[in-house]
Amino acid sequence: MTSRRNLNLLRSVAAAPLPGRPSMLRERMRCDALELALAENLADASWSYRIVPLDTPIGEHLMLEGETLHAPWLLPATGQLTALACAVCTVGPALEARVTALFSEKRASLALALDELGTELLFATSRLLQDHMLMAAKRQQLTLCGELHPGDPGLGLDAHAGVLRLAQAEAIGVSLRYGHTLYPLKSSSVVMGAGIDLPQASWSRCDRCPSRAKCRRVQSTVTAV
């Protein structure tokens, strides 16, 4: 297992432009949310991941360490799938608790701005996590292919518990509650295929999303490319 705690990504996120179409109000509330998050150290970003060797792949069901994941999208057209990279990341419970408190104080605008900041922090943590997973795979002479989150087409929401166990999410305080919801809420888990000479994925987890056309994350990715 590789884990890392207390990543302070606030300053790098603060340097990025505000997603979407910023208004003067959104810009002001974002500044207030950043000041609050910095002053109260609300962004306790952490991650944990493992590259777990497969047992015997059986068709579309992948077996590893007592878990069985139905993830047919991760089966490569070429190359050899030998493992799964299972990971979880979070920005911690403090930001979530502060958002709840702000709503209770009738400060909804600041609460929404802080919640949006938490989402940006989670995306930044996830991107950094995947960079580290890629480097770890290269050290093992493996390639990574595909990206699925439990609940995506190609990986059922019921996979969440198994992915968290394989990633040893308890090491950074992430758990399941209310069925398949992660705690803290600003948390995410991911599974990627790992193996030998895997091809680049011809699909994206966003392909079938009904919100794809208006998703700021997809638009920013396309713009960057």
Side-chain angles (χ1 to χ4, degrees):
M1 179 189 73
T2 299
S3 62
R4 189 172 178 184
R5 297 186 63 92
N6 303 319
L7 302 170
N8 192 343
L9 300 177
L10 271 173
R11 298 193 184 280
S12 61
V13 169
L18 186 62
R21 298 179 179 177
S23 63
M24 290 182 64
L25 176 61
R26 280 190 68 209
E27 291 279 9
R28 179 167 61 82
M29 297 313 301
R30 175 186 170 86
C31 288
D32 290 347
L34 282 166
E35 288 180 5
L36 180 63
L38 284 167
E40 299 186 8
N41 193 27
L42 297 179
D44 185 19
S46 308
W47 71 54
S48 178
Y49 72 86
R50 296 174 65 220
I51 298 177
V52 186
L54 291 172
D55 295 336
T56 303
I58 301 177
E60 298 178 347
H61 292 83
L62 304 174
M63 303 177 65
L64 58 171
E65 293 190 354
E67 301 289 346
T68 301
L69 301 182
H70 182 246
W73 284 23
L74 293 180
L75 297 176
T78 61
Q80 182 182 359
L81 185 70
T82 62
L84 294 182
C86 301
V88 60
C89 62
T90 183
V91 299
L95 188 143
E96 176 184 338
R98 195 67 175 96
V99 168
T100 300
L102 288 170
F103 274 117
S104 299
E105 297 165 9
K106 311 298 184 184
R107 302 169 70 187
S109 295
L110 183 56
L112 291 171
L114 185 60
D115 184 76
E116 183 177 29
L117 178 62
T119 300
E120 292 181 60
L121 284 164
L122 182 58
F123 284 159
T125 305
S126 179
R127 288 192 294 268
L128 190 58
L129 164 61
Q130 291 195 28
D131 288 344
H132 279 256
M133 290 169 64
L134 180 60
M135 289 188 290
K138 286 183 176 179
R139 286 195 294 269
Q140 298 181 39
Q141 298 184 323
L142 299 174
T143 52
L144 297 183
C145 176
E147 173 192 349
L148 288 176
H149 298 240
D152 286 343
L155 185 64
L157 194 59
D158 58 357
H160 239 152
V163 173
L164 293 190
R165 282 194 291 271
L166 291 167
Q168 297 185 354
E170 72 279 0
I172 58 170
V174 177
S175 60
L176 283 177
R177 66 177 182 182
Y178 310 133
H180 300 296
T181 304
L182 291 183
Y183 173 80
L185 286 175
K186 296 298 183 186
S187 303
S188 178
S189 63
V190 64
V191 178
M192 303 178 73
I196 302 169
D197 297 328
L198 297 183
Q200 184 174 356
S202 60
W203 50 267
S204 165
R205 59 182 292 262
C206 302
D207 288 345
R208 300 182 186 179
C209 177
S211 300
R212 177 182 173 85
K214 58 183 179 181
C215 177
R216 293 200 301 264
R217 187 182 185 192
V218 171
Q219 290 171 355
S220 63
T221 301
V222 171
T223 302
V225 173

